Amino acid sequence: METEIPAMLAARQLIRPERFTFHSSRMRMKTVSKDELAAMDAESDRCALELSDAAVDVMGYACLVAIMAMGPGYHRESQQRLRSRTQENGCDTPVVTSAGALVDALGVMKAKRVVVVAPYMKPLTEMVVDYIRQEGIEVLDYRALEIPNNLDVARHDPANLPEIVASLDLTNIDAIVLSACVQMPSLPAVAKVEALTGKPVVTAAIATTYAMLKALDLEPIVPGAGALLSGAY
């Protein structure tokens, strides 16, 4: 949330007139486990309330797996509840979750069959895959990179991603989810993977940026950020 999304919006500022400021409230989590994710999600109401003091125009809940670990369709409940917190504070602010943004983005891209790369341990990755499937999207193949420490997720080298994608079965897919995690860097590899595979590529960060721009009623276009933000949709 604090790296690739600001980078994409800063890139957009080079080609469009709108200007952005970024404001954060943090939820604690060190080990990417189901218990820590649930404890983290419980802090989201506090974060929404704090950010509503700044009268921001849109909020983004960055952790995809924290939402998906709470059960199928939870992004809808989370978004509605967190928006209610902002309304209670006199600042009605749309709330985007990276989980909801990703499944919505796949719908916008008309991607019915996908492959997924995720940094999580295998059980959590399977939970993410099941969540996506519950939204009516086939996940034909996936890779769990099994990185347990949250800081190590952020340190993963995106230059590894093209080789990881090459190990997946890309037969009959409509799109590649290059990073099912806002925390795991992926933006530098998006154009390369699209060029190598001939398939549209989306990430949690790209999908969240798209959803935030739509919520702001702005053209969802960012140079160098893959098919979804190319202006094709």
Side-chain angles (χ1 to χ4, degrees):
M1 182 61 77
E2 293 172 335
T3 53
E4 291 197 342
I5 292 174
M8 281 184 270
L9 294 177
R12 188 186 187 279
Q13 291 180 162
L14 299 175
I15 62 167
R16 292 293 186 274
E18 294 83 16
R19 296 295 177 261
F20 304 91
T21 62
F22 307 98
H23 309 264
S24 298
S25 182
R26 303 183 67 82
M27 300 175 280
R28 298 192 65 218
M29 190 262 288
K30 292 185 177 181
T31 302
V32 192
S33 66
K34 198 170 188 306
D35 288 345
E36 283 207 35
L37 290 167
M40 184 182 117
D41 182 69
E43 295 188 47
S44 60
D45 290 66
R46 168 186 59 80
C47 292
L49 183 62
E50 289 174 358
L51 288 170
S52 67
D53 285 344
V56 296
D57 296 307
V58 64
M59 294 186 190
Y61 184 141
C63 191
L64 178 140
V65 71
I67 292 287
M68 292 192 177
M70 298 294 286
Y74 178 70
H75 66 275
R76 297 178 182 88
E77 176 186 334
S78 173
Q79 289 163 190
Q80 182 177 10
R81 189 186 74 248
L82 296 179
R83 185 164 191 170
S84 295
R85 298 292 85 79
T86 74
Q87 292 166 337
E88 291 162 7
N89 198 31
C91 184
D92 185 6
T93 307
V95 178
V96 168
T97 67
S98 54
L102 181 62
V103 296
D104 289 347
L106 293 173
V108 168
M109 298 168 75
K110 295 182 170 53
K112 292 293 188 183
R113 299 173 299 277
V114 303
V115 294
V116 173
V117 179
Y120 319 118
M121 304 303 287
K122 194 168 183 180
L124 279 178
T125 301
E126 289 174 344
M127 197 176 296
V128 167
V129 167
D130 287 343
Y131 193 102
I132 294 170
R133 286 173 174 159
Q134 289 283 337
E135 295 291 327
I137 299 155
E138 291 183 68
V139 179
L140 301 185
D141 201 1
Y142 68 91
R143 284 292 176 276
L145 303 186
E146 301 200 87
I147 307 171
N149 183 279
N150 195 45
L151 294 179
D152 289 338
V153 171
R155 296 185 184 110
H156 184 264
D157 188 350
N160 296 330
L161 290 171
E163 184 178 353
I164 291 166
V165 170
S167 72
L168 294 164
D169 183 357
L170 305 182
T171 308
N172 297 323
I173 67 161
D174 300 317
I176 296 166
V177 179
L178 191 60
S179 176
C181 174
V182 175
Q183 175 83 335
M184 187 176 80
S186 54
L187 191 58
V190 169
K192 184 173 183 178
V193 172
E194 286 190 332
L196 288 172
T197 64
K199 302 292 184 180
V201 168
V202 68
T203 71
I206 287 170
T208 303
T209 301
Y210 179 92
M212 294 176 96
L213 287 169
K214 293 291 282 187
L216 293 168
D217 199 26
L218 297 177
E219 186 182 10
I221 185 166
V222 173
L228 182 66
L229 289 169
S230 68
Y233 299 99

